[in-house]
Amino acid sequence: MDRKYLLLLLAHLAISPISVIKAEPVEQRKHQTTDANVIGHVIDKKTGDHLPGITIGIKGTTFGTATDATGHYYLKHLKPGQVTLVMHGLGYKSQEKVVTIERNRTIEINFEAIQDDIRLDEVVVSSNRQNTLRRLAPTLVNVVDGKTFEQANANNLAQGLVFQPGVRVENNCQNCGFNQVRINGLDGRYSQILIDSRPVMSALAGVYGLEQIPANMIDRVEVVRGGGSALFGSSAIAGVVNVITKEPINNSVMVNESLGMTGFKSLDNNLGFNASVVSEDNRSGAMVFGQSRFRRGHDVNGDGYTELGRIDSRALGGRAYIRPSDLTKLTAEVHTFHEDRRGGDNLNWPDHVAAVREATKHSVYSGNIKFDLFSES
């Protein structure tokens, strides 16, 4: 398929759900004017600090929100009746509180989050393709959250995975310098890379995909150490690396710049951004992210051949969702990755003139639409 038509198709898939907002049923429009609200905050019980990014949802529905930068949340225009609020947060035990929602009334419900040292209450999807608490998952799943990427100053997936026990990220090529992840001692081609539980990268593209997936699109990474072929195909013999992308939870804009030097002479520059917008009633939202990376080739021993290849890459993507009702949710995503990587000698010469030339030029386009439906029970 021609690249131009493919881009138009993916853009259409990402934008089309937005039109559903205008076609709300009468019952839904009435539901949005109940003026029954819940406000509150979430604090760490041990330290007393307000916690941002903690999810507050209504049990049995797709509806929810997350605490803002000050640790507060706001649920608007809820359906009157008795509901169960569920608090989820990476590194904290889940909590539930039963509350009664009344029309034209705002109530305050606060949570004191208890740290989960063993981290058994984390939500995973890699083990059985649906949201499951880690302590109930049938296989052992390790989770790398966004804080790990921030603390490690990681700009991409490869830089964040090195802190995962039982997983080894190594450089397997002197000239082009690609990375691969080893699980259970097996080569990278035996580990399946997933984005939101979908195998959008082949085993070959996954070898280079570790450095193509920017950290600013990652909410968390779930690693299954052990054969996952029954669920994810023959590429998951060693294990599965499942990248869960961020979902828009509040109105925000972030730009980050990371500048590094290899051997104090070879530039490695990363520029990234993400922005999100959410409606006042938390029933629709959208976000975009992007990253640009340029790394010069680096010759460590001065023999004229690179130990780290030159990289010129781009990543761009977006995600949008809408909740037509409390029990349904429609989500659309689109991602695109481009990379030009070359190693060897005389990087400024044409490819066919160099004595040793190892290079890859490829683009990955992916998109998906997901519809979630829950029952009243």
Side-chain angles (χ1 to χ4, degrees):
M1 182 183 293
D2 185 66
R3 180 181 297 179
K4 178 176 68 176
Y5 295 107
L6 181 59
L7 286 173
L8 290 175
L9 176 61
L10 293 177
H12 175 70
L13 293 177
I15 296 173
S16 57
I18 298 177
S19 63
V20 182
I21 299 176
K22 299 180 181 180
E24 293 176 328
V26 175
E27 181 182 354
Q28 178 65 22
R29 289 197 297 268
K30 290 181 180 179
H31 172 69
Q32 291 184 349
T33 60
T34 62
D35 199 25
N37 311 314
V38 177
I39 63 173
H41 65 241
V42 180
I43 63 173
D44 188 307
K45 185 174 183 179
K46 184 176 181 180
T47 65
D49 297 332
H50 285 79
L51 300 175
I54 302 296
T55 301
I56 307 295
I58 298 179
K59 188 174 182 179
T61 74
T62 65
F63 189 70
T65 185
T67 56
D68 58 19
T70 66
H72 293 78
Y73 72 93
Y74 190 5
L75 294 172
K76 300 180 180 180
H77 302 300
L78 302 178
K79 184 178 179 180
Q82 191 175 79
V83 300
T84 301
L85 297 181
V86 182
M87 184 209 78
H88 282 303
L90 288 175
Y92 294 92
K93 295 181 179 180
S94 301
Q95 295 183 21
E96 296 185 1
K97 290 188 177 183
V98 179
V99 298
T100 300
I101 306 299
E102 299 180 8
R103 187 181 296 271
N104 300 321
R105 181 187 176 193
T106 299
I107 61 175
E108 180 176 357
I109 304 296
N110 299 317
F111 289 89
E112 293 185 346
I114 302 174
Q115 294 184 11
D116 182 15
D117 296 330
I118 307 179
R119 309 185 79 173
L120 294 179
D121 274 357
E122 292 174 331
V123 176
V124 302
V125 297
S126 295
S127 57
N128 55 8
R129 289 191 172 182
Q130 64 182 358
N131 289 342
T132 306
L133 291 181
R134 186 165 172 248
R135 55 185 164 85
L136 302 177
T139 58
L140 178 62
V141 182
N142 293 330
V143 181
V144 184
D145 57 22
K147 291 183 179 179
T148 302
F149 283 85
E150 293 178 3
Q151 294 171 354
N153 195 29
N155 297 302
N156 54 58
L157 177 61
Q159 295 174 355
L161 278 181
V162 297
F163 299 96
Q164 182 61 236
V167 176
R168 177 180 176 184
V169 179
E170 62 182 27
N171 188 306
N172 267 47
C173 173
Q174 175 178 342
N175 293 299
C176 61
F178 75 82
N179 289 312
Q180 72 169 352
V181 57
R182 281 182 174 269
I183 300 178
N184 293 335
L186 296 177
D187 289 341
R189 63 181 179 273
Y190 297 110
S191 299
Q192 179 70 63
I193 297 178
L194 308 174
I195 297 183
D196 292 318
S197 301
R198 295 168 180 82
V200 300
M201 291 187 175
S202 66
L204 176 60
V207 170
Y208 300 94
L210 293 177
E211 291 187 292
Q212 290 179 358
I213 300 177
N216 62 357
M217 71 172 277
I218 299 175
D219 177 65
R220 66 184 188 276
V221 179
E222 302 170 355
V223 181
V224 179
R225 292 177 291 164
S229 300
L231 284 175
F232 302 107
S234 59
S235 297
I237 295 174
V240 175
V241 177
N242 190 13
V243 179
I244 306 299
T245 58
K246 290 182 178 179
E247 182 170 304
I249 56 176
N250 50 39
N251 300 327
S252 65
V253 176
M254 184 183 72
V255 179
N256 61 285
E257 168 79 13
S258 176
L259 181 63
M261 300 290 288
T262 305
F264 296 100
K265 63 178 182 180
S266 299
L267 178 70
D268 188 351
N269 184 56
N270 288 269
L271 175 63
F273 77 92
N274 58 33
S276 62
V277 58
V278 179
S279 64
E280 289 188 0
D281 57 6
N282 294 309
R283 294 188 176 273
S284 61
M287 74 169 298
V288 294
F289 69 87
Q291 180 168 291
S292 173
R293 183 188 184 191
F294 179 76
R295 185 182 74 187
R296 293 185 181 275
H298 182 64
D299 179 11
V300 175
N301 53 15
D303 62 355
Y305 298 91
T306 60
E307 273 70 41
L308 290 176
R310 182 188 65 200
I311 295 178
D312 188 4
S313 65
R314 306 286 186 274
L316 184 65
R319 179 172 186 168
Y321 74 86
I322 179 174
R323 296 186 177 98
S325 69
D326 288 346
L327 300 176
T328 57
K329 182 179 180 182
L330 183 65
T331 305
E333 295 183 60
V334 62
H335 310 114
T336 175
F337 308 102
H338 306 271
E339 184 179 79
D340 182 358
R341 179 189 296 256
R342 179 177 170 182
D345 68 320
N346 299 312
L347 300 184
N348 295 325
W349 291 11
D351 292 350
H352 65 279
V353 178
V356 173
R357 173 244 182 186
E358 294 182 352
T360 60
K361 296 181 181 180
H362 59 270
S363 302
V364 177
Y365 302 90
S366 65
N368 69 78
I369 294 179
K370 180 176 68 171
F371 181 73
D372 293 316
L373 173 64
F374 289 77
S375 65
E376 291 280 354
S377 60

